[in-house]
Amino acid sequence: YRDLHTFELQAPTRIIEWARGSRVCVAGYGQSDGNEILQLIPPPTLLTKETQGLCPERDFKVECGGFSQRPVYSLKYVPDTSFLVTSGPPDSSLQVWQVSAEDSDIIKSVSPIETENDTGQSWAKIATISARAPWVLHGSRLDRVQITEVESRKNVYTAAFRGSEELSSLAFLDCNTLLLCCTTGRLCLADVRQPQSLVEAMSVPSAPCSEQWCMGTRHGAQGLEPSSQPVACLSNRGLLTLTDLRKTSEFLALAKARVPSPGSGAEFLCVSWAPALEGCLAISGFDGTVHVYDTQSWDSSGREAEPIFVHKGHAFGGAGGSGDPPLVTVHTWHLQKPRTLLSAASDGSLHVWDWVQPCGK
């Protein structure tokens, strides 16, 4: 490692979200009441774009917080606002939070966003954008996708899709284009200007019905079309696919991740592109590790890929509250530092780490 910071949270978390001012938001997912939502100030070394020398302060600091009466399975910061949006069981409604002014340490709950036919629906997957207005894209199934204006609670888009496939991921490609990923691995494109329109971008390779998938989209450089950025999909068997949305007749690449064993579910599956490192992605959710891969040499053979780095810190952190080995529940990349990632695990540990670049690379 070039650098490693650790922070112990009071409860397991499955959320790490960058907020304004390079703050980090985390939230608990326990089933009992009183799940914490915290906004943390990162260590000073993470607040500078360039790596600094020794720093006397190496810990995260809690800046403000609040409590959710339900488990938080998804949390998104609404860009250019003071709002956070969360979702979690037992239904597909959303909770809206406001980070208070600087003279307060409270993250307060404001009125929720209710959805129709909540009964029997799983928790909503969410994505946010502020290109036109503060919007949240949300839905638990393909026929339940909506966009709501966060402040006014006005519904600005309701999809008219057929099919009730469960969703695993949602993303704004731009202010008009949506990308939806079903747990079956089916990718679908939608246009907010045409609610009836739904284009199937790609289906994953033939696989067992029990296989579940999630996706990761990459934010392109300024001036680059979002659709030109590859979409990565990860299955609970460790299969990875890369798709170019401009040419969906074939995969850009197929690979098999070096995971210890096929996962039985996809609750904590996570795949994400490095925002400042070309062609690199990270995966987690199989055990107590995070794997980083360089995809630039991948082809369509589907052979096993060799990770360029494996973070094992959580695996050696001890057993979680249940006595089981810690499981990485989520990870995310630093927005400016190319090889810096944040990861959290089921034992409440939060790690920030940066690996040493190999010589000659």
Side-chain angles (χ1 to χ4, degrees), residues 17-193:
E17 175 75 354
W18 288 101
R20 60 180 178 175
S22 296
R23 292 337 193 224
V24 175
C25 293
V26 297
Y29 65 90
Q31 296 300 318
S32 60
D33 291 346
N35 294 285
E36 283 189 305
I37 298 177
L38 301 175
Q39 181 167 286
L40 308 176
I41 302 176
T45 54
L46 289 182
L47 297 177
T48 58
K49 291 187 178 181
E50 296 182 1
T51 302
Q52 303 294 307
L54 292 176
C55 181
E57 182 57 67
R58 297 180 58 82
D59 288 334
F60 285 84
K61 290 184 177 180
V62 177
E63 184 175 36
C64 54
F67 288 93
S68 171
Q69 298 305 308
R70 60 171 69 198
V72 180
Y73 277 32
S74 185
L75 180 153
K76 294 294 180 181
Y77 164 64
V78 183
D80 305 319
T81 73
S82 60
F83 292 107
L84 303 172
V85 181
T86 65
S87 65
D91 54 41
S92 60
S93 64
L94 308 182
Q95 287 67 54
V96 181
W97 306 81
Q98 187 165 24
V99 179
S100 301
E102 294 181 0
D103 58 348
S104 173
D105 60 359
I106 302 295
I107 297 178
K108 61 181 181 180
S109 175
V110 294
S111 58
I113 297 175
E114 303 290 351
T115 56
E116 295 182 6
N117 302 318
D118 271 338
T119 305
Q121 298 295 317
S122 60
W123 60 279
K125 284 64 179 181
I126 55 180
T128 56
I129 195 171
S130 290
R132 295 178 178 171
W135 284 358
V136 56
L137 168 67
H138 56 103
S140 59
R141 297 186 177 276
L142 194 59
D143 57 356
R144 303 287 182 192
V145 177
Q146 301 176 49
I147 295 177
T148 303
E149 205 281 313
V150 175
E151 293 181 289
S152 68
R153 305 297 191 274
K154 177 184 178 182
N155 179 275
V156 296
Y157 170 84
T158 299
F161 309 147
R162 293 181 179 178
S164 58
E165 293 176 65
E166 185 175 352
L167 295 170
S168 64
S169 317
L170 302 172
F172 281 102
L173 296 182
D174 55 37
C175 62
N176 292 317
T177 312
L178 318 174
L179 183 63
L180 319 175
C181 179
C182 301
T183 56
T184 58
R186 181 185 176 197
L187 288 178
C188 298
L189 282 167
D191 192 315
V192 300
R193 297 162 295 187

Side-chain angles (χ1 to χ4, degrees), residues 77-359:
Y77 164 64
V78 183
D80 305 319
T81 73
S82 60
F83 292 107
L84 303 172
V85 181
T86 65
S87 65
D91 54 41
S92 60
S93 64
L94 308 182
Q95 287 67 54
V96 181
W97 306 81
Q98 187 165 24
V99 179
S100 301
E102 294 181 0
D103 58 348
S104 173
D105 60 359
I106 302 295
I107 297 178
K108 61 181 181 180
S109 175
V110 294
S111 58
I113 297 175
E114 303 290 351
T115 56
E116 295 182 6
N117 302 318
D118 271 338
T119 305
Q121 298 295 317
S122 60
W123 60 279
K125 284 64 179 181
I126 55 180
T128 56
I129 195 171
S130 290
R132 295 178 178 171
W135 284 358
V136 56
L137 168 67
H138 56 103
S140 59
R141 297 186 177 276
L142 194 59
D143 57 356
R144 303 287 182 192
V145 177
Q146 301 176 49
I147 295 177
T148 303
E149 205 281 313
V150 175
E151 293 181 289
S152 68
R153 305 297 191 274
K154 177 184 178 182
N155 179 275
V156 296
Y157 170 84
T158 299
F161 309 147
R162 293 181 179 178
S164 58
E165 293 176 65
E166 185 175 352
L167 295 170
S168 64
S169 317
L170 302 172
F172 281 102
L173 296 182
D174 55 37
C175 62
N176 292 317
T177 312
L178 318 174
L179 183 63
L180 319 175
C181 179
C182 301
T183 56
T184 58
R186 181 185 176 197
L187 288 178
C188 298
L189 282 167
D191 192 315
V192 300
R193 297 162 295 187
Q194 302 175 28
Q196 303 286 340
S197 173
L198 182 67
V199 177
E200 182 170 335
M202 178 67 76
S203 292
V204 296
S206 179
C209 295
S210 59
E211 192 164 18
Q212 297 185 22
W213 294 77
C214 68
M215 75 169 179
T217 56
R218 183 168 183 255
H219 298 289
Q222 189 172 5
L224 206 58
E225 288 294 327
S227 60
S228 69
Q229 302 303 300
V231 176
C233 289
L234 170 69
S235 82
N236 60 331
R237 291 194 304 132
L239 186 63
L240 280 156
T241 68
L242 305 185
T243 303
D244 185 338
L245 296 178
R246 300 168 302 177
K247 185 181 180 182
T248 59
S249 59
E250 59 186 24
F251 292 106
L252 283 176
L254 295 171
K256 180 71 169 63
R258 184 174 291 182
V259 295
S261 60
S264 58
E267 184 180 8
F268 298 114
L269 280 186
C270 184
V271 55
S272 62
W273 286 101
L277 200 62
E278 186 65 31
C280 280
L281 58 77
I283 67 169
S284 62
F286 297 91
D287 56 11
T289 66
V290 182
H291 289 209
V292 180
Y293 293 91
D294 184 349
T295 68
Q296 295 181 91
S297 62
W298 288 8
D299 54 29
S300 57
S301 65
R303 65 174 182 266
E304 185 175 89
E306 180 78 24
I308 58 175
F309 189 79
V310 179
H311 174 59
K312 301 179 180 179
H314 296 286
F316 295 116
S322 64
D324 298 325
L327 171 68
V328 172
T329 54
V330 67
H331 73 265
T332 190
W333 293 80
H334 194 283
L335 301 178
Q336 288 90 29
K337 294 176 179 290
R339 293 186 306 280
T340 299
L341 291 92
L342 291 78
S343 54
S346 56
D347 61 352
S349 59
L350 174 64
H351 289 184
V352 183
W353 41 280
D354 186 345
W355 75 94
V356 177
Q357 186 175 14
C359 295

